[in-house]
Structures are given as C-alpha cells and as structure tokens.
Amino acid sequence: MRDRLARIQDDLKRVRATERVLAEQVAYLAEVAQDAETRKLVAQTPLADREWRDARTDLDRHAGLLEEARSQAQALVDQRDGLLERLFELEAARPGRDDP
C-alpha cells in the first residue's frame, strides 16, 4: 500500500508540473488570441480573421489540456486521500497499539 501511495505521489508531482506549464501556456495564448482579435476587428480581412481563429483554436486546445490535467490531479489526490484513510484505519486497528 505504501508503494502505491508513493507512485501516486510521484504521478501527482508530474501532473502538477504539467499543469503549471499548461497554465502559463494558456495565459500566453489568451494574450495572443486577444491581440489577434484586435487585429481582426481593425483590419477586417480574411487573413486577420483566420489568424484569430487559429489563435482561438490553440487557446481552446490548451485550455482543454489544462482542464484535463486538473482533473487528473484531483483524481490522484482523491486516490491518495483514500489510501491514507485506509492506512490510518489499518494502523488504528493493529493489535498491540498503545493508546494513551
């Protein structure tokens, strides 16, 4: 059980690192999309419109990846918490345990 807990903790560290990178990318891509939208509104050309759509597509894709990473992190936290509860229960039920 402790090995499984350690694996979950390692996975959680990896997913949270990915989440941080994706959050930075989403922030950057949001700025890019906002700039592209401004250019689209000012220029009103098919090229500016396409650049804005491409920027929005990139932003939406990365936002989806960020949400997926957040969901994975939450699932790992839930698994970890469940294992910790079970471990505490096993420790509490262990015979010969000294309780004050």
Side-chain angles (χ1 to χ4, degrees):
M1 187 177 304
R2 291 179 194 269
D3 289 341
R4 187 169 169 210
L5 189 58
R7 281 193 308 273
I8 288 172
Q9 193 62 28
D10 289 343
D11 289 347
L12 184 57
K13 287 178 187 176
R14 181 187 47 77
V15 169
R16 284 192 170 149
T18 299
E19 184 181 348
R20 284 190 297 275
V21 170
L22 286 168
E24 290 176 15
Q25 289 175 339
V26 166
Y28 171 76
L29 291 171
E31 290 178 23
V32 169
Q34 182 63 45
D35 290 346
E37 183 177 26
T38 301
R39 284 191 303 278
K40 176 186 96 155
L41 294 172
V42 171
Q44 295 184 355
T45 64
L47 177 60
D49 186 59
R50 189 182 80 204
E51 288 173 352
W52 172 76
R53 278 185 280 118
D54 290 346
R56 274 309 304 189
T57 299
D58 288 344
L59 174 58
D60 292 344
R61 184 169 32 88
H62 280 78
L65 292 171
L66 176 58
E67 186 57 37
E68 183 179 315
R70 288 179 174 158
S71 294
Q72 288 175 352
Q74 187 58 52
L76 289 167
V77 166
D78 292 344
Q79 286 179 20
R80 180 193 65 192
D81 291 350
L83 281 174
L84 285 172
E85 279 183 37
R86 182 70 181 135
L87 190 59
F88 289 139
E89 289 170 2
L90 291 172
E91 289 291 323
R94 199 171 71 196
R97 186 168 180 270
D98 295 335
D99 282 330

